[in-house]
């Protein structure tokens, strides 16, 4: 097309400047090569415009007609392209009108020859269906329970086309899958299923079961029509107002009962927990006590060991002390014995010595006695022979001790010492007395001097 | 009849007068105040006369409620004996227990604080002060002082009661004083130690004092020393309880800031700390001797002991210093890491020199194995087990390889010396205790080998049965009999010549 257009443009250019060259394939080069000259020519011819040139020639008209045809064709092609673009997630089902062959096309472009092909585009994306008519118990098409009560249901069905199913591959899908397949299937199933249950079951106890049944059956039904059920969600159940009130109180009681059950279970578990804690504590304390007792036993054993190590030394010390005491005892006995023996020897010696001394004394006394006796015999004889020797001796002995002798005067006027001397020797005694007095007087004088 | 009626009327009138007299409003106790007995054996008499019958004999510190005055006597009520009477005013000190009287009581308390024999009176005065003083004052410096004084009185009274004083009179006085203190809530614990009763203050006032932020360092030191008195540890305390108590004592002593204390008090705190940390090291070593906490505790004990200034040590603290040194010395091998792996190649190089290994035996038991190049741990030369702590780092073999010395600590503060020696019949193990007395505190240390393999040098230090003995001995290996003994190393040339340099460097017996 571009080439055609260029050609038209070039044609128009050539018409205004110079006649087109015969060689239709070289007009551009020629025009370019001749353009300076053409400019000069235009510059020269400008003041003199030839209006005849403005009228189309037959050749130009032919070209124009051809161009118009081409343009119309192009425009038609542009307006009705033989290619259909499929967005991501779309499924194109192309039907050959002549052969009846069906082909499936996914993302991208598909050739659609007008008059030959027809293409229907389906979305493979998930779609959802929420039946509004059955949402309220007072709605236009509420569900009916087995008791005949109307109830509303917030149902949400999510589905998508299955490109691999035979129905899709065969191209038997209706144009509106939602309205023509899903809705009838859902409504045909839901009303039937809910009619089998009581309101209470629907509301509380059998909700999961109902959901499960609907989901299973609906999945099978839709699968047959090339639709995959992604999920089914049963939301709020709208009950009749009176029933709802009674139901709520009943449920509240059930809940309270249930709660009480759980409370009791919880308390029971708490009791068990306390028991287990107490047991654990008991075990821990037992273990701690056991460990402490063992530790104490070990410490006691260590102490006993230390004591045991001391004992031999103590024993040895005691033995040593005993030996020392024994040795001291023996030493003392020996010393005492020695001392006794020494004393005995000393005593013997003493006795012997004393005997000897006594004997010597006896001998001495004997000898002295004998000598004395002899002396006395001699003195006796001498006294007998000379009686006045006694007085003389007396006077000699008394002379240095006695200065004055007081004697009673003789009655007969005799010498005063006559009583001492004896009466029959007065004569000799008087002379002796006189001599003694004389001597005493001499001594007295000497003392006085 | 008339006379009888008149008599009856008179009797009724008399009874009515008596009842009326008794029902007359008594002066309120608060107006008359209380009185604290200041003298021992003060007489509570039935009438305000010296010759009146004696109701009871009161002791210093007892508190009486004053209900009136007669002549120079006070009419009082003794709540403890539930008896009233008259007491001479000079035998008591009257206190009003009002806030205004607080400073005066505090002054009297300070005066009595250092008076021996006036502990019960002091406790009574302190109790009066604690009641009279406002809460604000009690939380301040005065409060700290009051608690310090109370604790000091109680502690001194307990010490007085523990010391056996001959004489019946002193015993009766002590009992009465303890009874008075008990009446004020001051509690005492009593333990039997070596056949005599040890009375110990339970220490609540000191605990309160330690919790007060205003208490100064000296007060804290006094409190900590009183709370950690070693003789006041219950001798029947189980081992694990004792370990807990030791930890607590260490914490209490940590609360004292020794930097600002007088030197003698600092010495006391440091000596106590050394003892406590020594005990802590042993208690931890009993669980695991290789625990780093053991070495840390022993190092702490040694640091505290080395911080004691000997020049500032009064005579009365000398025995505490010796005890602390012995306790630290008992665990000093914890500071030396066990070098058994390092010793193995040495043993191999030296040939048949025996070395020691330890393996666990029965629960709590450690077995010492003597091995050499020919005898492995499976067939050792000697195996001996003990329930004590084996300080394996202390193992020392003599030059001849015929004897090995090892330190083993069976009890806290009591370290024995094991001597393993080679005889003709094989190896034998002998144990040399610190002293041949009941184990209390003591250390027997190997100090060197005398060449010839027949003798060794031993340093022994012990306190037992009230006697302290330190000796340096030349011991014969055969039978561990002492050949020579001296109290001074320089007096024994053999000892001086052969003593081990490592022992001399590390020992505490040459302090």
């Amino acid at each position: 097309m571009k080439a055609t257009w260029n050609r038209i443009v070039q044609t128009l250019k050539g018409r205004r400047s110079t006649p087109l060259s015969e060689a239709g394939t070289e007009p551009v080069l020629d025009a370019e090569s001749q353009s300076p000259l053409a400019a000069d020519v235009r510059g020269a011819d400008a003041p003199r415009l030839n209006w005849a040139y403005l009228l189309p020639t037959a050749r130009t008209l032919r070209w124009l007609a051809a161009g118009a045809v081409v343009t119309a064709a192009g425009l038609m092609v542009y307006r009705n392209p033989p290619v259909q673009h499929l967005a991501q997630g779309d499924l194109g089902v192309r039907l050959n009108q002549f052969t009846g062959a069906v082909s499936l096309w996914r993302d991208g472009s598909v050739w659609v020859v007008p008059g030959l092909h027809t293409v229907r585009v389906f979305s493979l994306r998930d779609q959802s269906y929420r039946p509004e008519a059955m949402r309220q118990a007072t709605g236009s098409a509420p569900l009916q329970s087995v008791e005949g009560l109307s109830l509303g249901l917030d149902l949400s069905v999510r589905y998508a086309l299955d490109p691999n199913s035979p129905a899709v591959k065969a191209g038997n899908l209706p144009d509106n899958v939602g309205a023509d397949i899903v809705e009838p299937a859902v409504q045909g199933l839901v009303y039937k299923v809910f009619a089998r249950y009581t309101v209470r079951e629907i509301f509380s106890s059998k909700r999961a079961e109902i959901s499960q049944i609907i989901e299973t059956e609906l999945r099978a039904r839709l699968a047959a029509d090339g639709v995959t059920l992604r999920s089914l969600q049963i939301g709020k159940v709208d009950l009749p107002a009176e029933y709802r009130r009674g139901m709520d109180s009943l449920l509240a009681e059930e809940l309270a009962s249930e709660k009480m059950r759980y409370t009791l279970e919880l308390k029971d578990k708490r009791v068990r927990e306390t028991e287990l804690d107490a047991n654990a504590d008991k075990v821990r304390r037992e273990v701690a006590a056991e460990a402490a007792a063992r530790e104490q036993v070990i410490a006691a054993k260590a102490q006993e060991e230390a004591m045991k190590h001391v004992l031999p030394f103590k024993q040895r010390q005691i033995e040593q002390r005993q030996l020392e005491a024994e040795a001291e005892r023996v030493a003392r006995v020996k010393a005492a014995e020695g001392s006794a023996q020494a004393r005995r020897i000393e005593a013997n010696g003493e006795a012997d010595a004393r005997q000897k001394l006594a004997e010597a004394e006896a001998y001495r006394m004997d000898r002295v006695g004998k000598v004395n006796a002899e002396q006395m015999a001699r003195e006796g004889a001498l006294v007998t022979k000379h009686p006045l020797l006694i007085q003389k001796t007396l006077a000699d002995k008394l002379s240095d001790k006695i200065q004055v002798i007081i004697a009673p005067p003789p009655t007969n006027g005799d010498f005063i010492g006559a009583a001492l001397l004896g009466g029959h020797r007065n004569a000799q005694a008087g002379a002796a007395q006189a001599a003694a007095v004389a001597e005493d007087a001499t001594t007295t004088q000497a003392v006085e001097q | 009849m008339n006379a009888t009626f008149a008599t009856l009327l008179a009797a009724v009138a008399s009874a009515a007068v008596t009842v009326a007299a008794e029902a007359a409003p008594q002066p309120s106790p608060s107006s008359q105040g209380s009185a604290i007995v200041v003298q021992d054996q003060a007489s509570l008499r039935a009438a305000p006369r010296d010759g009146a019958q004696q109701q009871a004999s009161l002791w210093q510190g007892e508190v009486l409620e004053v209900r009136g005055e007669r002549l120079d006597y006070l009419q009082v009520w003794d709540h403890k004996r539930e008896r009233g009477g008259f007491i001479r005013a000079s035998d008591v000190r009257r206190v009003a227990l009002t806030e205004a009287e607080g400073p005066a009581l505090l002054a009297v308390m300070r005066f009595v604080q250092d008076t021996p024999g006036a502990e019960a009176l002091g406790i009574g005065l302190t109790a009066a002060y604690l009641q009279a003083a406002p809460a604000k004052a009690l939380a301040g410096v005065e409060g700290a002082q009051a608690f310090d004084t109370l604790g000091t009185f109680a502690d001194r009274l307990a010490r007085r009661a523990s010391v056996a004083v001959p004489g019946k009179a002193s015993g009766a006085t002590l009992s009465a004083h303890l009874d008075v203190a008990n009446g004020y809530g001051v509690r005492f614990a009593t333990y039997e130690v070596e056949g005599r009763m040890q009375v110990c203050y339970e220490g609540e006032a000191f605990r309160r004092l330690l919790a007060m932020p205003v208490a100064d360092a000296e007060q804290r030191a006094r409190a900590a020393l009183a709370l950690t008195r070693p003789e006041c540890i219950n001798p029947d305390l189980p081992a694990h309880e004792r370990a807990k108590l030791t930890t607590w004592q260490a914490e209490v002593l940590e609360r004292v800031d020794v930097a600002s204390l007088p030197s003698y008090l600092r010495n006391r705190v440091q000596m106590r700390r050394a003892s406590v940390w020594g005990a802590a090291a042993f208690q931890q070593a009993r669980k695991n001797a290789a625990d780093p906490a053991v070495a840390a505790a022993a190092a702490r004990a040694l640091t505290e002991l080395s911080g004691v200034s000997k020049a500032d040590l009064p005579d009365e603290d000398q025995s505490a210093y010796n005890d602390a040194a012995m306790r630290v010395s008992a665990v000093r091998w914890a500071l030396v890491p066990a070098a058994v792996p390092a010793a193995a190649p040495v043993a191999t190089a030296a040939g048949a020199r025996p070395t020691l290994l330890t393996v666990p035996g029965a629960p709590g038991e450690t077995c010492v194995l003597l091995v050499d190049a020919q005898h492995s741990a499976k067939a050792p030369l000697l195996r001996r087990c003990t329930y004590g702590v084996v300080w394996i780092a202390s193992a020392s073999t003599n030059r001849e390889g015929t004897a090995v010395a090892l330190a083993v600590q069976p009890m806290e503060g009591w370290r024995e010396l094991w001597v393993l020696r080679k005889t003709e019949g094989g190896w034998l193990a002998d144990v040399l205790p610190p002293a041949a007395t009941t184990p209390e505190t003591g250390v027997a240390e190997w100090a060197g080998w005398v060449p010839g393999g027949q003798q060794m040098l031993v340093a022994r230090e012990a306190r037992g049965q009230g006697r302290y003995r330190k000796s340096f001995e030349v011991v014969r290996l055969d039978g561990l009999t002492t050949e020579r003994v001296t109290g001074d190393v320089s007096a024994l040339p053999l000892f001086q010549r052969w003593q081990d340099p490592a022992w001399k460097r590390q020992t505490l017996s040459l302090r």
Side-chain angles (χ1 to χ4, degrees):
Chain A
M1 257 184 89
K2 193 173 181 182
T4 312
W5 179 253
N6 283 341
R7 203 171 291 133
I8 291 166
V9 170
Q10 288 304 322
T11 307
L12 289 173
K13 279 183 180 176
R15 184 63 188 273
R16 273 200 307 184
S17 56
T18 54
L20 283 170
S21 63
E22 288 301 321
T25 55
E26 304 284 338
V28 178
L29 289 173
D30 292 346
E32 285 176 354
S33 62
Q34 291 173 5
S35 59
L37 293 173
D40 293 341
V41 170
R42 275 201 306 275
D45 294 345
R48 321 179 264 113
L49 187 60
N50 190 0
W51 292 99
Y53 280 109
L54 296 176
L55 294 174
T57 61
R59 197 176 173 189
T60 306
L61 284 175
R62 275 200 305 275
W63 276 107
L64 281 173
V69 168
V70 170
T71 305
L75 192 63
M76 193 177 69
V77 168
Y78 177 73
R79 293 290 300 273
N80 297 301
V83 174
Q84 185 155 355
H85 183 74
L86 297 177
Q88 193 177 3
D90 284 351
L91 175 71
V93 180
R94 190 176 71 176
L95 176 67
N96 193 321
Q97 299 283 356
F98 294 102
T99 61
V102 175
S103 56
L104 301 180
W105 299 84
R106 301 289 290 272
D107 314 335
S109 301
V110 54
W111 284 103
V112 180
V113 179
L116 178 62
H117 292 129
T118 56
V119 172
R120 286 193 296 158
V121 178
F122 300 99
S123 175
L124 289 178
R125 296 186 194 93
D126 286 359
Q127 299 172 59
S128 63
Y129 166 60
R130 293 166 69 94
E132 291 295 326
M134 64 171 72
R135 287 192 70 181
Q136 301 290 331
T138 55
S140 58
L143 296 172
Q144 297 288 325
S145 69
V146 72
E147 303 103 325
L149 290 169
S150 297
L151 56 95
L153 183 71
D154 184 13
L155 185 69
S156 172
V157 178
R158 198 157 66 89
Y159 63 92
L161 277 180
D162 181 10
N164 298 322
S165 72
V168 174
K169 282 182 178 171
N172 292 337
L173 290 172
D175 287 339
N176 191 345
V177 173
D180 296 340
I181 296 177
V182 178
E183 278 184 34
V186 170
Q187 288 176 0
L189 181 63
V190 169
Y191 284 101
K192 193 178 74 180
V193 171
F194 273 81
R196 294 205 295 259
Y197 293 95
T198 62
V199 175
R200 188 178 164 199
E201 286 170 346
I202 293 165
F203 191 71
S204 59
S205 61
K206 295 283 179 65
R207 187 181 287 212
E209 182 188 321
I210 292 168
S211 171
Q212 186 65 36
I213 289 170
I214 292 175
E215 191 172 347
T216 310
E217 290 193 14
L218 192 60
R219 190 182 298 279
R221 283 191 189 191
L222 293 178
D225 293 331
V227 176
T228 306
L229 177 66
R230 297 283 191 210
S231 68
L232 182 134
Q233 186 186 354
I234 293 178
K236 179 184 170 191
V237 176
D238 186 29
L239 299 176
E242 294 79 10
Y243 188 86
R244 186 180 186 84
R245 228 171 283 127
M247 192 75 179
D248 279 348
S249 66
L250 187 65
L251 279 176
E253 281 178 14
E254 273 187 9
L255 276 175
S257 154
E258 197 78 355
K259 189 182 169 191
M260 180 57 73
R261 191 163 62 83
Y262 283 120
T263 307
L264 289 177
E265 276 181 17
L266 188 67
K267 287 195 172 172
D268 186 42
K269 281 176 181 167
R270 273 188 192 155
V271 168
R272 289 198 57 205
E273 186 189 5
T274 312
E275 187 184 342
L276 288 174
D277 282 350
N279 279 339
D281 192 38
K282 178 186 159 198
V283 170
R284 193 165 53 240
R285 285 164 70 179
E286 276 175 2
V287 168
E290 200 178 331
R294 199 178 300 134
E295 203 175 336
Q296 182 66 11
V297 166
I298 290 166
K301 280 183 178 173
Q303 194 168 359
E304 182 194 345
E305 207 172 85
M307 193 68 209
K308 206 161 60 185
H309 293 156
V310 167
L311 282 179
F313 286 88
K314 222 168 186 175
Q315 182 72 23
R316 201 183 294 169
Q317 206 176 36
I318 291 167
E319 283 171 7
Q320 195 174 346
R321 280 185 190 162
Q322 274 179 348
L323 287 175
E324 281 172 5
E326 184 69 19
E328 196 178 343
R329 187 184 70 81
V330 170
R332 283 193 179 183
V333 167
K334 288 282 177 199
E337 280 177 1
S339 177
Q341 204 167 354
R343 284 192 180 182
R344 205 174 297 127
I345 292 167
E346 276 177 12
N348 286 342
E350 182 78 19
D352 290 348
R354 286 192 178 179
Q355 195 175 354
K356 290 287 180 196
L357 284 175
E359 283 174 5
E361 184 69 17
Y363 178 72
R364 190 183 68 82
M365 286 175 73
D366 183 43
R367 291 294 302 158
V368 167
K370 280 181 182 171
V371 169
N372 281 345
E374 286 172 7
Q375 179 71 18
M376 284 177 74
R378 279 198 301 273
E379 282 179 359
L382 195 59
V383 168
T384 309
K385 196 173 176 182
H386 307 286
L388 280 178
L389 196 61
I390 294 172
Q391 283 81 3
K392 179 185 178 293
T393 305
L394 181 64
D396 285 346
K397 284 194 176 175
L398 291 177
S399 63
D400 58 343
K401 299 284 189 309
I402 298 167
Q403 292 182 355
V404 178
I405 294 175
I406 299 169
T411 52
N412 54 358
D414 229 350
F415 175 59
I416 57 170
L420 298 171
L421 300 176
H424 61 281
R425 289 192 180 103
N426 279 340
Q428 292 90 348
Q433 185 72 28
V437 170
E439 191 182 349
D440 283 344
T442 312
T443 309
T444 307
Q445 283 173 359
V447 170
E448 283 172 357
Q449 284 171 4
Chain B
M1 187 67 190
N2 284 336
T4 310
F5 181 73
T7 308
L8 191 62
L9 194 65
V12 168
S14 162
V17 166
T18 310
V19 169
E22 284 190 356
Q26 295 279 340
S28 66
S30 59
S31 64
Q32 298 281 339
S34 304
I36 295 175
V37 180
V38 295
Q39 284 190 349
D40 283 336
Q41 292 183 315
S43 300
L44 182 71
R45 298 189 182 278
R49 293 193 310 277
D50 283 347
Q53 184 196 354
Q54 184 175 345
Q55 304 267 38
S57 183
L58 303 178
W59 299 87
Q60 60 168 259
E62 285 191 274
V63 69
L64 305 167
E65 183 193 327
V66 179
R67 290 188 170 176
E69 293 178 34
R70 296 272 186 86
L71 307 175
D72 59 343
Y73 278 80
L74 293 179
Q75 184 184 1
V76 293
W77 178 262
D78 186 354
H79 286 279
K80 189 173 153 193
R81 295 178 179 80
E82 294 187 344
R83 185 169 292 184
F86 293 88
I87 189 165
R88 191 176 275 282
S90 59
D91 287 349
V92 296
R93 180 191 158 81
R94 291 187 69 173
V95 284
L97 299 179
T98 57
E99 197 174 321
E101 207 180 22
L105 279 171
L106 197 62
V108 178
M109 220 162 69
R110 282 179 190 146
F111 177 73
V112 180
Q113 188 171 8
D114 295 323
T115 312
E119 291 85 11
L121 175 62
I123 288 171
L125 288 169
T126 313
Y129 173 75
L130 289 177
Q131 190 167 359
K136 192 177 163 190
L138 286 182
V141 180
E142 289 90 357
Q145 197 170 9
F147 284 119
D148 177 38
T149 316
L150 181 62
T152 309
F153 281 135
D155 191 44
R156 209 167 61 208
L157 182 60
R159 269 186 290 156
R160 224 179 85 199
S162 299
V163 180
V165 179
K168 194 175 173 184
S170 73
T173 308
L174 269 175
S175 303
H177 286 185
L178 284 174
D179 200 27
V180 169
N182 262 316
Y184 285 109
V186 177
R187 298 280 172 262
F188 296 93
T190 313
Y191 309 114
E192 186 186 346
V193 181
E194 293 175 6
R196 64 183 178 83
M197 296 311 285
Q198 175 76 42
V199 182
C200 294
Y201 174 46
E202 169 262 343
E204 193 196 340
F206 288 132
R207 284 196 186 89
R208 282 177 184 270
L209 180 68
L210 282 176
M212 292 175 82
V214 293
D216 63 18
E218 279 193 46
Q219 289 170 340
R220 282 174 184 277
R222 273 196 294 272
L225 286 171
L227 285 173
T228 57
R229 211 175 280 286
E231 63 267 22
C232 284
I233 297 176
N234 186 357
D236 300 328
L237 211 58
H240 65 287
E241 296 283 344
R242 185 177 279 262
K244 275 186 205 166
L245 183 68
T246 307
T247 313
W248 178 79
Q249 286 186 336
E251 282 173 11
V252 166
L253 287 165
E254 285 306 303
R255 285 167 177 256
V256 182
D257 176 24
V258 292
S260 53
L261 288 177
S263 58
Y264 79 97
L265 208 52
R266 185 170 62 232
N267 282 347
R268 284 180 190 171
V269 174
Q270 287 187 320
M271 287 187 298
R272 189 65 58 80
R273 278 185 186 169
S275 296
V276 169
W277 281 108
F282 171 71
Q283 280 152 5
Q284 283 161 356
R286 282 186 53 194
K287 291 174 184 163
N288 179 14
D291 194 350
V294 179
R300 181 70 201 276
L302 193 61
T303 310
E304 293 294 342
L305 186 72
S306 54
V308 174
S309 163
K310 278 194 75 176
D312 301 329
L313 213 56
D315 288 345
E316 64 194 48
D317 289 345
Q318 198 64 46
S319 66
Y321 182 62
N322 288 335
D323 282 354
M326 281 190 283
R327 283 172 182 275
V328 176
S329 183
V331 294
R332 81 171 169 90
W333 281 109
L335 293 169
V336 184
V340 174
V346 176
T348 314
R353 278 175 73 82
T355 52
L356 291 178
L357 292 176
T358 55
V359 291
E365 203 178 32
T366 309
C367 293
V368 179
L369 308 182
L370 186 70
V371 297
D372 63 1
Q374 286 79 36
H375 298 81
S376 67
K378 287 183 180 172
L381 291 167
L382 180 70
R383 176 190 170 95
R384 174 141 181 172
C385 299
T386 176
Y387 283 98
V389 176
V390 178
W391 299 114
I392 195 71
S394 66
S396 163
T397 312
N398 69 349
R399 198 174 64 185
E400 293 80 10
T402 55
V404 181
L406 176 70
V408 176
Q409 189 178 359
M411 289 167 60
E412 183 186 310
W414 184 264
R415 201 181 83 198
E416 299 170 338
L417 179 64
W418 281 23
V419 181
L420 316 179
R421 63 190 168 92
K422 191 176 183 180
T423 62
E424 290 177 359
W427 285 79
L428 284 180
D430 291 323
V431 180
L432 185 68
T437 58
T438 308
E440 281 179 32
T441 312
V443 173
E445 282 189 319
W446 166 84
W449 299 106
V450 176
Q454 297 299 321
Q455 294 164 312
M456 65 186 287
L457 308 177
V458 174
R460 294 211 283 181
E461 189 176 3
R463 181 186 302 283
Q465 295 168 343
R467 284 197 312 164
Y468 169 74
R469 185 167 181 265
K470 183 161 82 168
S471 61
F472 301 94
E473 302 173 7
V474 178
V475 174
R476 189 158 190 82
L477 287 179
D478 184 14
L480 294 182
T481 48
T482 304
E483 289 193 336
R484 292 182 194 173
V485 59
T486 178
D488 183 14
V489 182
S490 57
L492 204 59
L494 198 62
F495 203 103
Q496 274 210 314
R497 186 171 177 193
W498 298 115
Q499 64 188 349
D500 189 57
W503 169 80
K504 194 174 180 183
R505 196 167 54 243
Q506 293 178 353
T507 187
L508 294 173
S509 52
L510 296 176
R511 60 187 178 274

